[in-house]
Structure formats: C-alpha cells, structure tokens
Amino acid sequence: EAQVTQNPRYLITVTGKKLTVTCSQNMNHEYMSWYRQDPGLGLRQIYYSMNVEVTDKGDVPEGYKVSRKEKRNFPLILESPSPNQTSLYFCASSLSPGTSIYEQYFGPGTRLTVT
Amino acid sequence: DAKTTQPTSMDCAEGRAANLPCNHSTISGNEYVYWYRQIHSQGPQYIIHGLKNNETNEMASLIITEDRKSSTLILPHATLRDTAVYYCIVRVGVDPSGYALNFGKGTSLLVTP
C-alpha cells in the first residue's frame, strides 16, 4: 500500500530537549516536505526536499532542521524545541517537479506538545 | 499563485449531492485547480484536479467555468464520512520552486443524517 508514515504520532516533551520526527514514504517519490498546522493559520510549509541531499527552506523554517540522506526518509529535527513549536506536523511526498500531476500524499500527522 | 475564495461552511444531507464552490478570478492560463480535503486532524487527501475541462474520478467531479474564474467540486452522493474541510488550491502545474500547497481556510462541510 502506498503510504507516508510518521513517527511518533504523539509526543510531549520539554523545552530544549532535542527531538526527531521521522517520515518515510514507499512510493519512490523525489519530492518530500514538512508542514505544520496551527489553528487560524492553516498549513504552512517548513522545509522541502527535491531529491536526496537537496533541501530548502519553506515559509517557517526557524527552529527546524531536516536531512535527506535516503530517498524514502525525510526526518524533521528540532534541536532545541520551544513552546511555540507546539503544533500538528505533517510530512508529504509527491512525484518529481518534472510532472504536472500535483498530488501530494500526506502522512497521518504528529501532534507535538512542548512544555 | 492565484488567490481562492471559498465559503466558510456548508451543510449537506446524507445521500444528496454536495456542491462546493470556489472563486479564483485571478487564475492564470497555466494554473491548475486542485481540491484536497482534511478529515478532522488527519493528513490532507488529494481529491481531484483540472485545468480547463471538467474532470471526474471515483471520488468527485470538478466543474470549471469556461472563463476559469470559478469552479465547483461535486460529491455526488455525500456520506457522513465526507464530513471534512475542503480546500481549493490554484497552482502552476509544473513549478520547481518548492511545491508548497497554499491551503487557505477551506470550506467546512458537514454531512448530516
């Protein structure tokens, strides 16, 4: 089954404690990205990756890091989480930019609470 | 990307057709209309997309006006599971500059028994 998986699904942590949210897709997609969703602000892109070893900032990259060492994985790293990073996070993947089909597949979400 | 305008909320009786409108009066010739939906706090789900012609798939139909300034997503026989927020997104079909989807606020569709 084609899918995007994220782990963990729920996480409560404390300020300053480094954490990683994993994302993996099994569709051989080149493009992957991370969004955060907050009430009243909608979904906003954090980082994206066009392919292995190619990453770039989205609209709200501050406080986040990403890496793309393998095509299927795109972890989101919070080096020093703060309460304003409490949010619902989604990973997404899609075919390469060379196609006109803009169907992005989203993971189930990770609800992060930073106290 | 062209801006879209959608009603904040709509109701639909189960079994009836749900017609969700979207205005995109500033759409450019190379921009597609995409529809996604998000069922409560789940990951958004792609529904359908189109450029000029009407489109239909197993989930829905997309009707685009001739001047392309508006479109309607039609769920032909709405079920309770179709209760969700529906997002109309206009985007250039092939754009290497990030592929971010601008979801906006969407329309909250409530399907009632």
Side-chain angles (χ1 to χ4, degrees), chain B residues 22-29 31 33 51-54 63-72:
Chain B
C22 179
N23 283 316
H24 32 78
S25 59
T26 60
I27 192 170
S28 301
E31 289 182 313
V33 180
L51 181 63
K52 297 180 187 177
N53 300 320
N54 299 336
I63 308 297
I64 302 175
T65 58
E66 192 169 343
D67 62 6
R68 302 185 71 238
K69 292 182 185 294
S70 66
S71 60
T72 301

Side-chain angles (χ1 to χ4, degrees), chain A residues 31 50 94-104, chain B residues 1-4 24 26-34 36 49-51 68 88-102:
Chain A
Y31 180 85
M50 294 292 196
S94 69
L95 290 170
S96 73
T99 68
S100 63
I101 298 174
Y102 197 25
E103 178 177 356
Q104 287 201 8
Chain B
D1 296 340
K3 182 179 177 179
T4 62
H24 32 78
T26 60
I27 192 170
S28 301
N30 62 347
E31 289 182 313
Y32 288 71
V33 180
Y34 288 82
Y36 281 74
H49 76 282
L51 181 63
R68 302 185 71 238
C88 171
I89 301 164
V90 173
R91 179 75 181 181
V92 174
V94 179
D95 184 346
S97 62
Y99 265 60
L101 287 169
N102 182 3

Side-chain angles (χ1 to χ4, degrees), chain A:
Chain A
E1 179 191 354
Q3 60 181 354
V4 178
T5 57
Q6 296 178 226
N7 282 292
R9 295 289 312 281
Y10 302 90
L11 179 59
I12 301 174
T13 190
V14 296
T15 299
K17 186 176 181 181
K18 180 179 178 179
L19 66 92
T20 299
V21 183
T22 64
C23 172
S24 182
Q25 50 93 5
N26 63 0
M27 295 165 281
N28 202 36
H29 284 165
E30 285 83 2
Y31 180 85
M32 298 184 73
S33 67
W34 278 101
Y35 293 83
R36 61 177 288 175
Q37 185 172 32
D38 304 288
L41 297 176
L43 285 112
R44 296 176 292 169
Q45 191 181 52
I46 303 170
Y47 267 95
Y48 64 93
S49 170
M50 294 292 196
N51 214 323
V52 176
E53 302 293 0
V54 181
T55 64
D56 209 343
K57 297 177 181 178
D59 297 322
V60 287
E62 293 77 22
Y64 304 94
K65 286 176 57 178
V66 293
S67 69
R68 188 89 182 273
K69 292 181 168 45
E70 304 168 281
K71 198 172 188 179
R72 63 183 293 124
N73 297 322
F74 190 46
L76 179 69
I77 303 158
L78 284 73
E79 295 269 4
S80 182
S82 62
N84 64 11
Q85 292 179 299
T86 292
S87 187
L88 180 58
Y89 291 86
F90 291 104
C91 180
S93 73
S94 69
L95 290 170
S96 73
T99 68
S100 63
I101 298 174
Y102 197 25
E103 178 177 356
Q104 287 201 8
Y105 292 80
F106 284 79
T110 295
R111 188 169 291 282
L112 172 65
T113 302
V114 183
T115 61

Side-chain angles (χ1 to χ4, degrees), chain B:
Chain B
D1 296 340
K3 182 179 177 179
T4 62
T5 304
Q6 299 177 251
T8 302
S9 63
M10 295 181 65
D11 292 343
C12 177
E14 189 177 20
R16 305 296 296 268
N19 297 283
L20 292 91
C22 179
N23 283 316
H24 32 78
S25 59
T26 60
I27 192 170
S28 301
N30 62 347
E31 289 182 313
Y32 288 71
V33 180
Y34 288 82
W35 284 83
Y36 281 74
R37 73 180 181 183
Q38 186 176 21
I39 297 170
H40 180 63
S41 293
Q42 295 181 21
Q45 178 189 23
Y46 165 84
I47 302 173
I48 198 167
H49 76 282
L51 181 63
K52 297 180 187 177
N53 300 320
N54 299 336
E55 302 288 345
T56 297
N57 63 20
E58 65 277 6
M59 288 183 68
S61 294
L62 174 60
I63 308 297
I64 302 175
T65 58
E66 192 169 343
D67 62 6
R68 302 185 71 238
K69 292 182 185 294
S70 66
S71 60
T72 301
L73 178 74
I74 301 172
L75 308 177
H77 305 287
T79 71
L80 299 179
R81 288 191 297 271
D82 292 321
T83 292
V85 178
Y86 288 78
Y87 298 96
C88 171
I89 301 164
V90 173
R91 179 75 181 181
V92 174
V94 179
D95 184 346
S97 62
Y99 265 60
L101 287 169
N102 182 3
F103 280 85
K105 296 190 186 303
T107 296
S108 180
L109 175 68
L110 175 64
V111 180
T112 56

